[in-house]
Amino acid sequence: MKKPDAVSSVDRPGTRKQRTGRPFDHSSDRLILASTLDLLAERGYERLTLDEVALLTGKAKSTLYRRWATKEELVLAAIRSVGRPPEIDHLPDLGSLRSDLLAVVDSPWLGSPDRRLAIFAGLTSATRSSERLANVVRTEVTEPYVEVYRRLLNRAANKGEIPADYVAGIPILANVIPAMSTHRLDTSRTPVHRDFFVSVIDNILLAALHMQAD
Amino acid sequence: MKKPDAVSSVDRPGTRKQRTGRPFDHSSDRLILASTLDLLAERGYERLTLDEVALLTGKAKSTLYRRWATKEELVLAAIRSVGRPPEIDHLPDLGSLRSDLLAVVDSPWLGSPDRRLAIFAGLTSATRSSERLANVVRTEVTEPYVEVYRRLLNRAANKGEIPADYVAGIPILANVIPAMSTHRLDTSRTPVHRDFFVSVIDNILLAALHMQAD
């Protein structure tokens, strides 16, 4: 692991943290939270330590603890820092349901599909250790993705792409990709690759909708 | 909550526990583990306490702690006590894939479908607090169910019930019911009822296999 360019550890005035009243350099939050996600992706929640985040970012451990009292707090902040999947505001529209579903899988959000899937694997491991983290992953990641898929399926139905007999299945089918993704991480603990999502889309989702692959 | 008939709290000789060397009445294990599952079903892992298990079974708390040092140990023992789903050794064979899938959903295993589903909800909450519990739930519950569904689907394929074009989807489709069940518990935290499984079977599984509901 490479240590990034040194970050100033001098606290700046005027950015006071409520809890302690001691100054903290908020400008380095982004680096710290991104590094937290990198470590979470690399080794999972159990093996993530504040020491390593400090090492990776060039910050003093005490500085990190002053801002985030526990590993749980740091990871919560990291999850919240990424926001919701951008597809929820900008649905892909590539001309077919399958292309649009694959565009979500292939999204560059969070750097690249590989980094994003590794982060999601780390987040799944975090939900094993903390009910709070499980709740935040649910509301910030899982449920927004269900909403993205629901919108894509409803739009395809409105355009007449989905045979009428299968439209009733949309509400439950919108859950299939997130459900299978979590299940896959729970049961095999190895990275999920694009092939897995292609199989879920073709063998489950489009097959259940009686839509042929392009 | 009703307190059951008093259970003898006199430890009997000849059933010594390895860890402490103090005698323990193993004959009451079954009652304690069943009561643990009842409480897990009723309130989830976080709110389960050894005190309540003691109260419910008429055992001294110290007696419980002597046998299971932590709540995690007690719940691990409770999970292991139930064994794997009996369907793995005795596949239902009711004449159609749909009937056989519903027979697994309607299985009287663990008392009744309602008690079983409530216990599974409690187990899902337990996987939020302990990696060890998550691993045991995976190997003792989730994976055996995937195997039951895989066998049912393969048998239906061998009997020619599944159109040839969709047989390739079986390995991934065998995961759909366990994946959707866990996802449902993760996202809504309310009891899962039979209707949900019927919808998963009809709108996802049988639809993806291009098989009509009976």
Side-chain angles (χ1 to χ4, degrees):
Chain A
M1 192 174 307
K2 221 175 48 170
K3 189 169 165 179
D5 295 335
V7 172
S8 166
S9 61
V10 179
D11 289 329
R12 289 181 198 144
T15 53
R16 291 181 177 275
K17 177 84 178 73
Q18 221 172 0
R19 180 160 27 206
T20 62
R22 294 187 56 183
F24 183 85
D25 176 11
H26 282 279
S27 67
S28 60
D29 277 19
R30 188 178 303 189
L31 171 66
I32 292 168
L33 297 178
S35 298
T36 300
L37 290 176
D38 284 339
L39 282 172
L40 190 64
E42 195 178 300
R43 58 195 62 188
Y45 184 75
E46 286 296 336
R47 292 167 58 222
L48 173 75
T49 65
L50 281 170
D51 286 26
E52 281 190 298
V53 175
L55 186 72
L56 191 65
T57 56
K59 303 291 287 184
K61 198 177 155 186
S62 60
T63 309
L64 257 73
Y65 275 110
R66 210 184 312 148
R67 181 96 173 87
W68 299 284
T70 61
K71 178 165 83 169
E72 186 188 38
E73 292 292 344
L74 177 62
V75 172
L76 275 172
I79 297 171
R80 289 189 175 121
S81 74
V82 303
R84 297 181 165 209
E87 288 78 13
I88 205 155
D89 295 313
H90 302 283
L91 280 189
D93 195 2
L94 300 170
S96 78
L97 177 59
R98 185 172 191 268
S99 311
D100 293 338
L101 293 169
L102 286 175
V104 179
V105 171
D106 293 333
S107 168
W109 184 45
L110 300 181
S112 68
D114 279 351
R115 181 172 186 262
R116 188 177 63 256
L117 292 173
I119 290 171
F120 289 173
L123 293 182
T124 301
S125 75
T127 67
R128 296 279 161 262
S129 298
S130 157
E131 182 77 21
R132 280 178 76 201
L133 286 168
N135 286 336
V136 171
V137 168
R138 187 182 80 241
T139 58
E140 300 300 308
V141 181
T142 309
E143 290 176 349
Y145 268 113
V146 172
E147 184 59 25
V148 167
Y149 294 120
R150 185 182 296 122
R151 290 181 191 181
L152 286 176
L153 292 168
N154 281 330
R155 194 182 61 191
N158 290 336
K159 289 199 282 182
E161 280 191 74
I162 297 176
D165 284 353
Y166 300 95
V167 168
I170 288 176
I172 199 161
L173 286 166
N175 293 275
V176 163
I177 296 174
M180 288 295 291
S181 174
T182 303
H183 172 81
R184 169 64 178 66
L185 288 167
D186 277 349
T187 51
S188 93
R189 313 284 167 110
T190 53
V192 187
H193 296 297
R194 186 177 193 274
D195 288 355
F196 175 78
F197 291 99
V198 173
S199 178
V200 170
I201 289 170
D202 289 339
N203 291 308
I204 307 180
L205 208 45
L206 297 180
L209 293 166
H210 285 221
M211 295 173 73
Q212 299 303 319
D214 302 317
Chain B
M1 190 173 307
K2 220 174 54 168
K3 189 169 163 181
D5 295 335
V7 172
S8 166
S9 62
V10 180
D11 289 328
R12 291 180 198 145
T15 53
R16 290 178 176 277
K17 178 85 176 67
Q18 219 173 1
R19 181 163 23 207
T20 63
R22 293 185 58 184
F24 184 86
D25 176 10
H26 282 279
S27 67
S28 61
D29 277 19
R30 186 177 306 189
L31 171 66
I32 292 168
L33 298 177
S35 299
T36 300
L37 291 175
D38 284 338
L39 283 172
L40 190 64
E42 195 178 302
R43 59 194 61 188
Y45 185 75
E46 285 297 335
R47 293 167 56 222
L48 173 75
T49 66
L50 280 172
D51 287 25
E52 282 191 297
V53 176
L55 187 71
L56 190 64
T57 55
K59 303 290 288 186
K61 199 177 155 187
S62 59
T63 309
L64 256 73
Y65 274 110
R66 210 184 310 148
R67 181 97 174 85
W68 299 284
T70 63
K71 178 165 85 168
E72 186 188 37
E73 293 291 343
L74 177 62
V75 172
L76 275 172
I79 298 170
R80 290 189 175 121
S81 74
V82 303
R84 298 182 163 204
E87 287 79 11
I88 205 155
D89 295 314
H90 302 283
L91 280 189
D93 196 0
L94 299 171
S96 78
L97 177 58
R98 185 173 192 268
S99 311
D100 292 338
L101 293 169
L102 287 175
V104 179
V105 171
D106 294 333
S107 167
W109 185 45
L110 299 182
S112 68
D114 280 351
R115 181 171 185 264
R116 188 177 63 256
L117 292 172
I119 290 170
F120 288 173
L123 294 181
T124 301
S125 75
T127 67
R128 297 277 160 263
S129 299
S130 156
E131 182 77 20
R132 280 179 75 201
L133 284 168
N135 286 335
V136 171
V137 168
R138 186 181 82 243
T139 58
E140 300 300 309
V141 181
T142 309
E143 290 176 350
Y145 269 112
V146 172
E147 183 60 24
V148 166
Y149 295 120
R150 184 181 297 121
R151 289 183 191 180
L152 286 177
L153 292 168
N154 281 330
R155 194 183 60 190
N158 290 336
K159 289 199 283 181
E161 281 190 74
I162 298 176
D165 283 353
Y166 300 95
V167 167
I170 288 176
I172 199 161
L173 287 167
N175 292 276
V176 164
I177 296 175
M180 289 294 290
S181 174
T182 303
H183 172 80
R184 169 63 178 65
L185 288 168
D186 277 349
T187 51
S188 93
R189 311 282 167 115
T190 53
V192 186
H193 295 299
R194 187 178 193 273
D195 288 355
F196 175 78
F197 290 99
V198 172
S199 178
V200 171
I201 289 170
D202 288 340
N203 291 309
I204 308 179
L205 208 45
L206 297 181
L209 292 166
H210 285 222
M211 295 172 72
Q212 301 301 321
D214 304 317

